[in-house]
């Protein structure tokens, strides 16, 4: 049985509770050996981190033709972990949609990873407002085919998320149930402000916190050499400047800066789980300490980090 240090939450009302820790795929599974990947998957299930984000990075700014999804699928099969023990979250891209339709994307993604279905998925980045009636209908068809159970959005403008919810109600089909947003100690305005805050407060959506370490900067104090997420608002220097304070507070709580960042996210009642990348077993082990910290000292963590948010002047409506 998975560790039950922290109470699981559901992505949506009536849904099955999901692990509080989630492992991402971008620049992770391709940075470790297959043996290490197998060990990481097995240990993730034990530590209640058996929620895996699986994406094929092949479009728009992610036109990398990465093999990270293939490597994950191979490691998952070698791990011997039972499918019922994990939650799999796929991703659909809007960069070339509808030229490349959702069904073609999800079938390709499943085939590459050797999977039969996703439990949920995220509809990802876009530039222009999508054709919402078609988008909602297309995702609904995938649910109807049994390829997934639910869906969420990734850093959408709030008005488009509300449009999707309204359109789903009009069509009488499933709308988005969670929002995967950039959220953490440094970036708070989008999730906690008047954009998404009300939808979280009334239970319309839950939050999946992502990019919580700002590409690793808030976990180590250093910017990695690999490609990391966009610097929305041009505030990365300000974010890097708060690392010494984060390191100090983490020391006071006896955890790593990364675990502190995860505990901060979990202490927000809207958060269903926290998505992060781990390419070493010791990173996962250290991050697991966030669960006990959030459970026992969540309010204290938030109070200690009250002045560390640096995105107050960045648009908070989801305009990424």
């Amino acid at each position: 049985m998975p560790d039950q240090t922290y109470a699981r939450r559901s992505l949506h009302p009536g849904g099955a509770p999901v692990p509080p820790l989630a492992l991402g795929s971008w620049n992770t599974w391709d940075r470790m050996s297959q043996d290490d990947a197998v060990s990481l998957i097995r240990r993730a299930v034990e530590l209640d981190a058996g929620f895996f984000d699986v994406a094929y990075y092949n479009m728009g700014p992610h036109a990398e033709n990465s093999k990270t999804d293939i490597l994950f699928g191979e490691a998952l099969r070698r791990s011997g972990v039972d499918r019922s023990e994990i939650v799999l979250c796929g991703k659909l891209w809007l960069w070339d949609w509808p030229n490349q339709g959702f069904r073609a994307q999800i079938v390709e993604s499943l085939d590459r990873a050797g999977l039969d279905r996703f439990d949920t998925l995220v509809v990802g980045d876009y530039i222009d407002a999508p054709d919402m009636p078609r988008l909602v209908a297309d995702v609904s068809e995938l649910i109807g085919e049994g390829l997934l159970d639910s869906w969420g959005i990734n850093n959408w403008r709030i008005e488009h998320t509300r449009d999707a919810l309204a359109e789903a109600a009009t069509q009488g089909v499933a709308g988005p149930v969670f929002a995967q947003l950039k959220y953490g100690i440094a970036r708070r305005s989008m999730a906690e402000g008047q954009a998404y805050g009300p939808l979280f407060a009334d239970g319309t959506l839950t939050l999946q916190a992502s990019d919580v370490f700002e590409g690793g900067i808030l976990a180590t104090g250093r910017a990695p050499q690999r490609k990391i997420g966009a610097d929305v608002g041009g505030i990365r220097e300000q974010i890097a400047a708060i690392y010494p304070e984060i390191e100090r507070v983490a020391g006071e709580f006896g955890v790593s800066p990364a675990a502190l960042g995860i505990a901060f996210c979990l202490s927000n009642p809207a958060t269903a789980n926290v998505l992060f990348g781990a390419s070493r077993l010791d990173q996962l082990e250290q991050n697991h300490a966030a669960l006990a910290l959030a459970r026992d000292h969540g309010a204290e963590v938030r109070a200690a980090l009250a002045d560390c948010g640096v995105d107050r002047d960045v648009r908070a409506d989801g305009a990424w």
Side-chain angles (χ1 to χ4, degrees), residues 3 5-7 20-21 47 212-213 253-267 274 276 283-298 301:
D3 179 285
T5 300
Y6 189 84
L21 302 179
L47 296 181
V212 297
F213 308 143
F253 284 106
V255 299
S256 68
L260 181 72
I262 294 170
F264 172 86
C265 295
L266 288 173
S267 66
V274 180
F276 59 87
Q283 291 176 326
L284 177 61
E285 299 277 1
Q286 291 175 17
N287 289 357
H288 180 261
L291 299 184
L293 180 59
R295 180 195 64 199
D296 299 335
H297 303 287
V301 166

Side-chain angles (χ1 to χ4, degrees), residues 7-93:
R8 289 187 174 194
R9 301 172 183 173
S10 300
L11 285 174
H12 58 95
V18 299
L21 302 179
L23 293 183
S25 54
W26 193 37
N27 291 320
T28 53
W29 303 107
D30 47 0
R31 290 194 291 131
M32 66 184 95
S33 71
Q34 267 289 295
D35 287 345
D36 287 345
V38 169
S39 297
L40 189 65
I41 289 171
R42 290 172 177 163
R43 189 63 175 140
V45 173
E46 294 172 350
L47 296 181
D48 216 9
F51 185 114
F52 299 99
D53 181 273
V54 186
Y56 176 27
Y57 298 96
N58 68 331
M59 290 186 199
H62 302 303
E64 303 158 7
N65 289 315
S66 167
K67 294 183 178 180
T68 187
D69 54 330
I70 295 174
L71 295 171
F72 167 77
E74 293 172 351
L76 179 63
R77 287 187 290 280
R78 282 188 54 198
S79 74
V81 168
D82 191 89
R83 178 65 176 84
S84 64
E85 295 185 85
I86 61 175
V87 179
L88 295 178
C89 180
K91 184 159 282 184
L92 296 174
W93 301 107

Side-chain angles (χ1 to χ4, degrees), residues 9-318:
R9 301 172 183 173
S10 300
L11 285 174
H12 58 95
V18 299
L21 302 179
L23 293 183
S25 54
W26 193 37
N27 291 320
T28 53
W29 303 107
D30 47 0
R31 290 194 291 131
M32 66 184 95
S33 71
Q34 267 289 295
D35 287 345
D36 287 345
V38 169
S39 297
L40 189 65
I41 289 171
R42 290 172 177 163
R43 189 63 175 140
V45 173
E46 294 172 350
L47 296 181
D48 216 9
F51 185 114
F52 299 99
D53 181 273
V54 186
Y56 176 27
Y57 298 96
N58 68 331
M59 290 186 199
H62 302 303
E64 303 158 7
N65 289 315
S66 167
K67 294 183 178 180
T68 187
D69 54 330
I70 295 174
L71 295 171
F72 167 77
E74 293 172 351
L76 179 63
R77 287 187 290 280
R78 282 188 54 198
S79 74
V81 168
D82 191 89
R83 178 65 176 84
S84 64
E85 295 185 85
I86 61 175
V87 179
L88 295 178
C89 180
K91 184 159 282 184
L92 296 174
W93 301 107
L94 288 167
W95 301 109
D96 194 36
W97 177 84
N99 294 323
Q100 187 179 27
F102 283 166
R103 192 178 191 285
Q105 286 190 49
I106 196 171
V107 167
E108 182 177 27
S109 186
L110 290 169
D111 285 348
R112 284 171 57 87
L115 305 171
D116 60 348
R117 68 187 307 276
F118 290 117
D119 297 290
T120 191
L121 61 75
V122 175
V123 180
D125 307 343
Y126 62 94
I127 298 175
D128 299 317
D131 177 348
M132 202 60 71
R134 181 170 181 176
L135 185 154
V136 169
D138 284 359
V139 176
S140 178
E141 288 182 7
L142 300 179
I143 295 175
E145 289 186 50
L147 295 173
L148 61 139
D149 296 326
S150 63
W151 64 288
I153 59 87
N154 169 248
N155 293 327
W156 282 18
R157 293 175 183 265
I158 186 59
E159 63 266 27
H160 299 151
T161 300
R162 290 188 178 279
D163 288 347
L165 290 165
E167 185 59 41
T170 297
Q171 294 185 26
V173 299
V177 297
F178 70 99
Q180 184 187 97
L181 305 180
K182 278 180 177 283
Y183 178 61
I185 294 172
R187 295 187 188 269
R188 311 179 187 184
S189 60
M190 189 175 181
E192 295 185 1
Q194 289 305 305
Y196 279 89
L199 294 179
F200 295 143
D202 67 13
T204 299
L205 299 175
T206 57
L207 169 65
Q208 183 181 75
S210 71
D211 203 13
V212 297
F213 308 143
E214 197 71 15
I217 294 171
L218 295 184
T220 65
R222 303 183 303 275
Q225 297 303 306
R226 58 183 170 79
K227 183 180 179 181
I228 61 176
D231 178 16
V232 180
I235 58 173
R236 190 150 284 157
E237 286 188 11
Q238 295 168 257
I239 290 175
I242 67 170
Y243 177 76
E245 176 64 7
I246 292 174
E247 187 176 39
R248 183 191 68 79
V249 174
E252 290 185 349
F253 284 106
V255 299
S256 68
L260 181 72
I262 294 170
F264 172 86
C265 295
L266 288 173
S267 66
N268 181 339
T271 304
N273 61 13
V274 180
L275 177 65
F276 59 87
S279 56
R280 300 193 315 272
L281 196 56
D282 66 299
Q283 291 176 326
L284 177 61
E285 299 277 1
Q286 291 175 17
N287 289 357
H288 180 261
L291 299 184
L293 180 59
R295 180 195 64 199
D296 299 335
H297 303 287
E300 296 163 57
V301 166
R302 295 191 74 83
L305 298 168
D307 297 327
C308 290
V310 299
D311 66 338
R312 298 177 185 85
D313 296 327
V314 177
R315 286 188 62 178
D317 61 354

